[in-house]
């Protein structure tokens, strides 16, 4: 990082331009979006090809014009982007034709994200994204700042809300003078790192392609019969081939398995590659009251999140994760403004594929008074949850479908239909068994999942809204479901005793309204 | 520390959502809600019939035979909905406490929703043309829980809705958290 000049950032309340390197960034942005829409231009290119061959000069002029236009656009993006940082606000004015002005007080900024794309590594610049607690439109991006300025800005923002907390201020003041990024990192307490091996495990275990492969497996009969038809058209009989083959049936199945694994390997490799690109050199550290996550192979990302912004901690284990004893830990923040809830979103703080003891340590570090998720005594959901599903959904559906299949097709189809419904019922049984709710003085814990397990824990006072739902059947059995709405999404506790449901809802309301603590 | 108390609290002594006294929304809401539904359904049936029986454009035979089924489906669904609305509208009740707003509703599936005041981000009063004609209004209360969890009370008399909004906006805890 080539940052030697002292930071002038916080001392200049006048309007400033970005570093000219931002033009390159804008150019890459344009190229990226152009290449994304390039696929739509291919038909045009095919049609236009014949025309071009007769008019090379005109085409060349057009192409040059286009390039000039793109460059002009990038320059305009740079020239008309101005920002100003005062004591406690960040202001930005953008746009040539459509002017946009955004005023973002520091205290409303939820996240500060530092990103270093490959092109910035040579000049030591970073792109800074300021996430507000509000909508996606209120996100501000400073496309190019020196690493040092970015650090200073981050400090200023994170300091803003602590002005009235003298003890915390002291810690921060000590860290501010450290000039470079490396200096700042020394004061941090390293909480977790992920080795490449961990990331490989994460890539394997979180391969969403497994599901796809399962579907492919069930389609193999169709594929085989189609291939058989094709081969017999060519004068080959697959049964004869197999009968003549020297190998026994298990050799053939082993070969088939090999083929399947061979297919699996490239897909898993892709997933591992993705995991490494996103999480390479993962470091989660803590500096006074905030967590900082750094990772990324090509584009290095640094996300700072104040601990008070964490709404809930989620621990997710797929069935494969369970087999190898790994867990994805997610510190969930306010999600109401963002559009994606996927695990890779920047604003959620993910710790990929940690071991059980690492997970417990991270939870204890974040919320020392919370209990380890697995050691809490969970109350299970009422058996009526499963019973009603069975009698009101599975049973009528299996009667209707099996009769229909029997009448119109064959007994075999009817049995197949029923067995699918039995599998659904079994999965729902697993889901019911998994459900659990626990509470202590400060936290609520919810367990869910089907084959995997998902634990969620949240401080009671973070509640945004609570609702209790009861169908007629539930009222009869004195059961109810409770939905806790947090800024990071809703958590449902289904089919518990009516009195317990009202007790935990009342308790949550009481805690929220009497403590009057901020959810942010 | 003046006035600070720290008495032990048991769950049973907490303010209870079950015993909360509630008040109904405007009685006129049911009438206007049913009228609004009919104003949507009747023109829809009219358009369907016009398409089928107009002398200028003849539909393909499969659409002609589908007409009766579509017509019947629209009628059955609408009648079902109207019966539900007739029963459900009078079961919408709300309650205002010092620290929260509560809404109770539902016929087959009963729901009690409670919105603490200090988590409210902003309040909105919405009035459609029919609402304006009837002097009714819908109160929307937004929190950080997201758009899917907007707390809303329909069928309030306009005066009541404005009073509620004023109460919420003047609440000392608003925007505190």
């Amino acid at each position: 990082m080539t940052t030697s000049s002292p930071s002038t950032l916080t001392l200049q309340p006048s309007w400033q331009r970005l570093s000219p390197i931002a033009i390159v960034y804008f150019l890459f942005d344009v190229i990226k979006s152009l290449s994304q829409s390039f696929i739509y231009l291919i038909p045009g290119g095919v049609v236009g090809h014949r025309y071009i061959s007769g008019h090379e000069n005109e085409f060349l002029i057009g192409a040059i014009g286009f390039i000039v236009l793109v460059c002009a656009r990038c320059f305009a993006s740079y020239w008309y982007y101005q920002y100003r940082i005062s004591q406690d606000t960040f202001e930005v004015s953008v746009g040539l034709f459509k002017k946009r002005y955004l005023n973002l007080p520091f205290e409303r900024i939820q996240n500060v994200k530092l990103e270093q794309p490959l092109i910035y590594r040579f000049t030591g610049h970073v792109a800074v994204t300021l996430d507000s607690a509000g909508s996606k439109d209120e996100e501000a991006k400073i496309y190019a700042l020196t690493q040092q300025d970015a650090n200073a800005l981050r400090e200023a923002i994170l300091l803003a809300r602590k002005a009235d907390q003298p003890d915390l201020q002291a810690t921060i003041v000590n860290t501010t003078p450290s000039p470079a990024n490396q200096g700042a990192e020394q004061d941090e307490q390293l909480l977790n790192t992920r080795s490449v091996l961990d990331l490989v495990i994460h890539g394997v275990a979180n391969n969403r392609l497994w599901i796809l492969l399962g579907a492919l497996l069930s389609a193999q009969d169709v594929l085989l019969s189609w291939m058989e038809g094709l081969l017999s058209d060519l004068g080959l009989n697959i049964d004869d081939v197999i009968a003549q083959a020297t190998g026994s049936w298990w050799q053939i199945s082993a070969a088939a398995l090999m083929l399947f694994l061979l297919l699996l390997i490239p897909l898993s490799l892709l997933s591992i590659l993705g995991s490494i690109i996103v999480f390479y050199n993962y470091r989660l550290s803590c500096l006074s009251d905030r967590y900082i996550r750094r990772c990324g192979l090509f584009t290095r990302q640094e996300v700072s999140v104040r601990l008070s912004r964490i709404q809930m901690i989620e621990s997710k284990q797929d069935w494969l994760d369970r087999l190898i004893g790994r867990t994805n830990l997610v510190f969930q923040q306010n999600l109401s403004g963002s559009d994606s809830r996927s695990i890779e979103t920047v604003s959620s703080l993910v710790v990929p594929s940690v071991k059980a003891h690492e997970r417990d340590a991270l939870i204890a570090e974040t919320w020392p008074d919370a209990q380890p998720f697995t050691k809490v005594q969970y109350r299970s959901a009422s058996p009526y949850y499963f019973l009603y599903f069975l009698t009101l959904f599975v049973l009528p559906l299996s009667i209707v479908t099996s009769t229909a299949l029997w009448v119109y097709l064959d007994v075999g189809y009817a049995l197949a239909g029923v067995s699918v419904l039995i599998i659904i019922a079994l999965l729902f049984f697993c889901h019911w068994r998994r459900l659990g709710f626990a509470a202590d003085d400060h936290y609520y814990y919810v367990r869910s999942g089907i084959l995997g397990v998902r634990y969620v824990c949240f401080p009671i006072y973070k509640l945004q809204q609570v609702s209790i739902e009861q169908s007629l059947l539930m009222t009869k059995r004195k059961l109810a479901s409770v939905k806790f709405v947090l800024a990071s999404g809703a958590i449902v506790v289904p089919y518990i005793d009516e009195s317990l449901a009202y007790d935990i809802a009342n308790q949550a309301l009481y805690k929220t309204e009497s403590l009057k603590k901020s959810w942010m | 520390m003046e006035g600070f108390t720290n008495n032990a609290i048991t769950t049973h002594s907490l303010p209870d959502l079950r015993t909360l006294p509630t008040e109904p929304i405007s009685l006129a809401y049911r009438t206007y809600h049913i009228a609004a539904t009919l104003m949507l359904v009747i023109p829809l049936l009219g358009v369907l019939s016009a398409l089928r029986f107009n002398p200028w454009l003849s539909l393909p035979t499969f659409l002609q035979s589908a007409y009766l089924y579509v017509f019947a489906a629209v009628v059955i669904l609408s009648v079902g909905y109207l019966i539900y609305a007739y029963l459900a509208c009078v079961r919408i009740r709300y309650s205002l406490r010092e620290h929260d707003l509560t809404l109770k509703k539902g016929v087959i599936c009963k729901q009690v929703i409670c919105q603490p005041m200090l988590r409210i981000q902003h309040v909105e009063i919405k009035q459609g043309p029919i609402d304006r004609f009837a002097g009714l209004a819908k109160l929307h209360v937004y929190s950080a829980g997201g758009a899917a969890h907007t707390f809303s009370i329909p069928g309030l008399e306009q005066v009541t809705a404005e009073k509620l909004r004023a109460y919420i906006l003047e609440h000392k805890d608003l925007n505190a958290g």
Side-chain angles (χ1 to χ4, degrees):
Chain A
M1 310 269 164
T2 55
T3 46
S4 52
S5 61
S7 173
T8 49
L9 179 101
T10 41
L11 304 172
Q12 277 191 6
S14 58
W15 287 99
Q16 295 175 64
R17 284 217 169 79
L18 299 165
S19 154
I21 186 84
I23 300 175
V24 184
Y25 186 91
F26 287 129
L27 194 65
F28 268 83
D29 240 22
V30 172
I31 292 170
K32 208 161 83 181
S33 57
L34 275 180
S35 60
Q36 272 163 3
S37 47
F38 183 71
I39 195 151
Y40 303 109
L41 294 176
I42 291 173
V46 171
V47 175
H49 181 256
R50 192 175 293 168
Y51 172 80
I52 291 163
S53 59
H55 305 77
E56 277 91 356
N57 287 340
E58 288 93 328
F59 178 72
L60 204 68
I61 291 168
I64 290 169
F66 181 71
I67 291 166
V68 168
L69 219 70
V70 166
C71 291
R73 204 214 107 132
C74 292
F75 186 75
S77 300
Y78 157 72
W79 194 253
Y80 289 97
Y81 183 103
Q82 287 185 301
Y83 67 94
R84 182 163 70 172
I85 296 157
S86 62
Q87 202 68 40
D88 52 1
T89 21
F90 173 77
E91 289 167 280
V92 61
S93 150
V94 240
L96 169 59
F97 301 112
K98 204 175 134 198
K99 286 260 180 217
R100 191 173 147 240
Y101 169 83
L102 180 72
N103 181 312
L104 206 57
F106 284 173
E107 61 184 62
R108 278 191 37 219
I109 295 170
Q110 176 162 278
N111 292 322
V112 184
K113 187 180 90 185
L114 268 57
E115 239 178 334
Q116 191 171 47
L118 216 52
I119 45 164
Y120 278 7
R121 292 225 184 139
F122 310 105
T123 56
H125 282 82
V126 287
V128 182
T129 310
L130 307 174
D131 254 345
S132 85
S135 69
K136 198 87 187 155
D137 301 334
E138 289 182 356
E139 194 184 82
K141 192 158 184 181
I142 316 168
Y143 296 93
L145 275 183
T146 58
Q147 179 84 50
Q148 191 182 10
D149 276 356
N151 284 341
L153 176 64
R154 191 188 58 191
E155 293 298 329
I157 289 167
L158 294 164
L159 199 67
R161 271 180 72 117
K162 276 187 302 221
D164 50 351
Q165 297 173 32
D167 49 329
L168 282 174
Q169 198 180 5
T171 13
I172 286 289
V173 168
N174 285 338
T175 63
T176 347
S178 52
N181 192 32
Q182 287 83 350
E185 269 189 63
Q186 279 168 10
D187 300 317
E188 295 169 9
Q189 177 200 350
L190 189 65
L191 297 178
N192 198 290
T193 54
R194 299 282 86 202
S195 68
V196 175
L197 179 70
D198 290 325
L199 298 182
V200 170
I201 289 172
H202 182 72
V204 173
N206 292 275
N207 195 346
R208 304 288 163 222
L209 296 165
W210 282 104
I211 301 161
L212 191 85
L213 284 173
L216 268 182
L217 261 181
S218 60
Q220 71 175 358
D221 282 355
V222 186
L223 273 175
L224 276 179
S225 61
W226 174 76
M227 272 171 65
E228 208 174 349
L230 193 76
L231 288 173
S232 64
D233 283 350
L234 293 171
L236 279 167
N237 188 333
I238 200 156
D239 289 331
D240 290 347
V241 176
I242 291 173
Q244 283 165 16
T246 44
S248 57
W249 63 271
W250 63 266
Q251 276 175 314
I252 294 165
S253 18
L257 192 71
M258 282 291 288
L259 206 72
F260 172 69
L261 286 176
L262 275 177
L263 195 75
L264 201 80
I265 287 165
L267 296 177
S268 293
L269 278 178
L270 273 181
S271 177
I272 292 166
L273 201 68
S275 158
I276 290 175
I277 288 173
V278 177
F279 293 119
Y280 180 73
N281 202 7
Y282 184 99
R283 293 161 67 81
L284 180 75
S285 47
C286 175
L287 181 59
S288 75
D289 71 334
R290 63 181 194 263
Y291 278 179
I292 302 163
R293 184 196 80 174
R294 294 186 179 86
C295 62
L297 183 63
F298 297 121
T299 297
R300 276 190 214 137
Q301 277 191 348
E302 181 184 316
V303 186
S304 301
V305 179
R306 301 226 343 269
L307 277 176
S308 65
R309 305 273 199 221
I310 295 170
Q311 304 295 313
M312 65 183 193
I313 300 182
E314 191 181 2
S315 152
K316 283 197 255 192
Q317 265 190 315
D318 278 352
W319 61 274
L320 208 58
D321 285 318
R322 278 174 64 76
L323 281 181
I324 53 176
R326 295 293 178 122
T327 307
N328 290 319
L329 197 66
V330 190
F331 297 98
Q332 293 281 17
Q333 295 187 77
N334 174 24
L335 284 173
S336 50
S338 64
D339 41 19
S340 169
R341 284 177 185 228
S342 83
I343 198 164
E344 272 83 21
T345 46
V346 178
S347 63
S348 70
L349 214 59
V350 185
V351 196
S353 293
V354 286
K355 290 176 189 144
H357 69 91
E358 290 173 313
R359 172 191 65 187
D360 292 347
L362 280 171
I363 295 165
E365 175 72 33
T366 317
W367 291 334
D369 45 354
Q371 300 171 56
F373 294 174
T374 41
K375 300 204 172 84
V376 187
Q377 282 289 321
Y378 288 93
R379 283 165 186 260
S380 50
S382 159
Y384 284 105
Y385 185 54
F386 175 62
L387 210 68
Y388 286 157
F389 178 77
L390 210 63
T391 50
L392 297 177
F393 178 71
V394 177
L395 216 61
L397 202 66
S398 49
I399 291 170
V400 171
T401 46
S402 56
T403 346
L405 287 171
W406 198 348
V407 170
Y408 290 107
L409 294 165
D410 196 9
V411 187
Y413 287 98
L415 285 175
V418 170
S419 51
V420 166
L421 282 161
I422 287 173
I423 290 169
I424 292 174
L426 280 174
L427 288 176
F428 197 84
F429 180 78
C430 295
H431 169 59
W432 166 70
R433 291 270 300 165
R434 203 60 99 209
L435 285 172
F437 171 81
D440 59 28
D441 285 350
H442 307 290
Y443 298 92
Y444 281 169
Y445 307 82
V446 180
R447 186 182 61 194
S448 60
I450 302 171
L451 295 174
V453 202
R454 174 177 179 253
Y455 296 101
V456 168
C457 166
F458 63 94
I460 303 172
Y461 74 86
K462 296 266 181 186
L463 183 82
Q464 295 284 340
Q465 189 188 78
V466 65
S467 72
I468 294 172
E469 279 172 42
Q470 275 183 299
S471 68
L472 284 178
L473 282 169
M474 288 164 83
T475 319
K476 204 174 140 199
R477 302 278 170 203
K478 291 209 172 307
L479 297 169
S481 298
V482 190
K483 182 157 84 180
F484 298 103
V485 179
L486 303 178
S488 57
I491 297 155
V492 182
V493 186
Y495 278 73
I496 50 173
D497 282 343
E498 189 187 70
S499 57
L500 176 68
Y502 275 98
D503 280 351
I504 59 176
N506 288 334
Q507 174 82 12
L509 285 170
Y510 171 72
K511 286 265 184 203
T512 311
E513 292 163 357
S514 63
L515 284 173
K516 294 193 197 309
K517 276 169 87 172
S518 166
W519 61 274
M520 290 225 293
Chain B
M1 287 295 150
E2 214 169 291
F4 176 78
T5 54
N6 195 9
N7 301 319
I9 304 237
T10 54
T11 334
H12 294 287
S13 63
L14 287 178
D16 197 346
L17 284 174
R18 270 168 294 191
T19 54
L20 192 62
T22 54
E23 45 191 315
I25 56 165
S26 168
L27 260 178
Y29 177 66
R30 176 157 78 181
T31 319
Y32 286 103
H33 187 70
I34 288 174
T37 314
L38 285 175
M39 277 164 74
L40 212 93
V41 173
I42 293 168
L44 181 70
L45 291 176
V47 168
L48 277 176
S49 307
L51 275 173
R52 169 70 182 82
F53 296 112
N54 74 80
W56 304 284
L57 184 85
S58 68
L59 291 175
T61 21
F62 77 97
L63 279 181
Q64 281 186 16
S65 51
Y67 164 76
L68 211 69
Y69 294 105
V70 176
F71 193 91
V74 171
V75 168
I76 290 168
L77 285 176
S78 315
V79 169
Y81 180 74
L82 287 174
I83 293 171
Y84 176 79
Y86 183 81
L87 294 172
C89 287
V90 285
R91 277 177 173 77
I92 303 174
R93 298 178 75 87
Y94 69 96
S95 159
L96 182 67
R97 289 195 289 191
E98 278 174 62
H99 296 290
D100 47 43
L101 269 165
T102 309
L103 182 77
K104 294 190 178 186
K105 62 175 183 183
V107 182
I108 300 161
C109 192
K110 284 180 190 156
Q111 223 182 347
V112 182
I113 311 166
C114 188
Q115 175 66 57
M117 290 282 180
L118 85 159
R119 296 285 183 252
I120 294 173
Q121 289 193 320
H122 72 276
V123 196
E124 214 174 83
I125 289 182
K126 278 190 183 169
Q127 273 188 307
I130 295 172
D131 283 337
R132 268 201 294 277
F133 176 75
L136 296 175
K138 198 172 191 179
L139 186 79
H140 286 272
V141 173
Y142 299 89
S143 69
H149 299 108
T150 303
F151 180 93
S152 59
I153 312 178
L156 289 168
E157 273 155 27
Q158 199 177 343
V159 192
T160 322
E162 273 160 16
K163 267 196 229 164
L164 277 172
R165 181 177 63 177
Y167 178 82
I168 295 167
L169 290 176
E170 280 162 22
H171 199 279
K172 61 182 188 319
D173 289 339
L174 195 68
N175 287 327

